[in-house]
Amino acid sequence: GAGVSQTPSNKVTEKGKYVELRCDPISGHTALYWYRQSLGQGPEFLIYFQGTGAADDSGLPNDRFFAVRPEGSVSTLKIQRTERGDSAVYLCASSSLGGETQYFGPGTRLLVL
Amino acid sequence: AQTVTQSQPEMSVQEAETVTLSCTYDTSESDYYLFWYKQPPSRQMILVIRQEAYKQQNATENRFSVNFQKAAKSFSLKISDSQLGDAAMYFCAYRSFLLIQGAQKLVFGQGTRLTINP
């Protein structure tokens, strides 16, 4: 079946603008994760959904970052008042209920000018 | 909090040779999972191999195998018969066995860039 998909693949925006990044998980996967990967670094956890609810949002850096998953499938990561330091690759992953392996999408590269 | 350390920023190997990538981690937990992911220039993280800490036997997947030393908290990846397609960033990652809040996330190392020389 289809893997995790993310759109857009690349996003260029200006400082102060609002952006939305979308993740479509593997069909049937109830767990969904967002990670941020800065240049030359490993991914860092942002938020984890189990179903529609955010089970762990401890990795969100500040209140400019918010994520939703209203129907328990597609998720949207929203960044308000973007800053140049938000430039990174945003990775989404999903797993089955209780599954220990996370399957990743191709990521969205965000560049804030 | 758990940490994962990859001390080799870059490694290179001749095609068809064997290379070992190092990873150490720190945790107070006794049960957990360890992973190696590959990230080619396409950015997609691809699972290479997985190890459950309660299993003493080292995991193997075709040309990929691990040397899991639980007491030393070491988890190295060995790639045999290296191929040009193995060139990528390799990340070691840790995940708790627990199902409590905060335990499901992956904790990654900084990565090792592997180059394959033809």
Side-chain angles (χ1 to χ4, degrees):
Chain A
V4 178
S5 62
Q6 293 186 245
T7 55
S9 179
N10 296 281
K11 176 70 176 179
V12 181
T13 191
E14 295 179 344
K15 180 177 178 294
K17 298 291 187 181
Y18 167 85
V19 296
E20 289 189 352
L21 311 180
R22 174 188 167 109
C23 172
D24 199 342
I26 293 172
S27 178
H29 278 189
T30 57
L32 185 146
Y33 307 80
W34 284 98
Y35 294 84
R36 180 167 71 173
Q37 186 177 21
S38 299
L39 189 63
Q41 302 294 317
E44 294 181 319
F45 170 77
L46 294 176
I47 187 169
Y48 156 59
F49 287 90
Q50 184 60 258
T52 60
D56 181 2
D57 64 358
S58 62
L60 294 178
N62 51 61
D63 61 5
R64 296 187 298 105
F65 288 75
F66 188 71
V68 296
R69 195 185 185 199
E71 297 178 357
S73 178
V74 171
S75 176
T76 304
L77 178 66
K78 307 181 181 193
I79 310 174
Q80 298 177 324
R81 304 183 304 280
T82 52
E83 300 177 356
R84 293 193 179 89
D86 298 335
S87 297
V89 173
Y90 290 81
L91 295 167
C92 176
S94 70
S95 68
S96 59
L97 180 64
E100 68 278 0
T101 298
Q102 297 178 24
Y103 298 91
F104 283 80
T108 294
R109 183 181 299 280
L110 175 65
L111 178 60
V112 182
L113 301 177
Chain B
Q2 294 83 17
T3 59
V4 176
T5 302
Q6 295 178 247
S7 58
Q8 305 155 315
E10 297 183 357
M11 291 283 285
S12 64
V13 63
Q14 291 296 124
E15 191 176 5
E17 296 295 309
T18 296
V19 64
T20 298
L21 308 184
S22 300
C23 172
T24 58
Y25 58 94
D26 188 28
T27 184
S28 59
E29 299 176 337
S30 58
D31 289 322
Y32 45 86
Y33 302 97
L34 295 166
F35 304 85
W36 278 98
Y37 280 90
K38 167 185 178 181
Q39 188 179 42
S42 66
R43 294 198 308 250
Q44 182 139 16
M45 301 282 277
I46 302 165
L47 178 68
V48 174
I49 199 164
R50 180 185 72 201
Q51 175 80 44
E52 292 86 350
Y54 58 85
K55 291 186 178 179
Q56 294 186 341
Q57 186 173 6
N58 289 325
T60 62
E61 287 288 342
N62 301 312
R63 298 183 294 108
F64 300 87
S65 61
V66 299
N67 183 2
F68 173 48
Q69 301 289 328
K70 191 172 183 179
K73 296 179 182 176
S74 171
F75 183 60
S76 61
L77 174 69
K78 185 172 81 171
I79 307 174
S80 303
D81 186 24
S82 298
Q83 300 176 0
L84 295 177
D86 295 334
M89 285 290 290
Y90 285 81
F91 291 94
C92 178
Y94 172 103
R95 182 193 181 280
S96 174
F97 189 77
L98 301 174
L99 294 178
I100 61 174
Q101 182 177 356
Q104 296 87 356
K105 64 184 178 187
L106 290 172
V107 178
F108 286 89
Q110 306 92 321
T112 296
R113 181 176 303 279
L114 178 64
T115 301
I116 312 295
N117 299 314

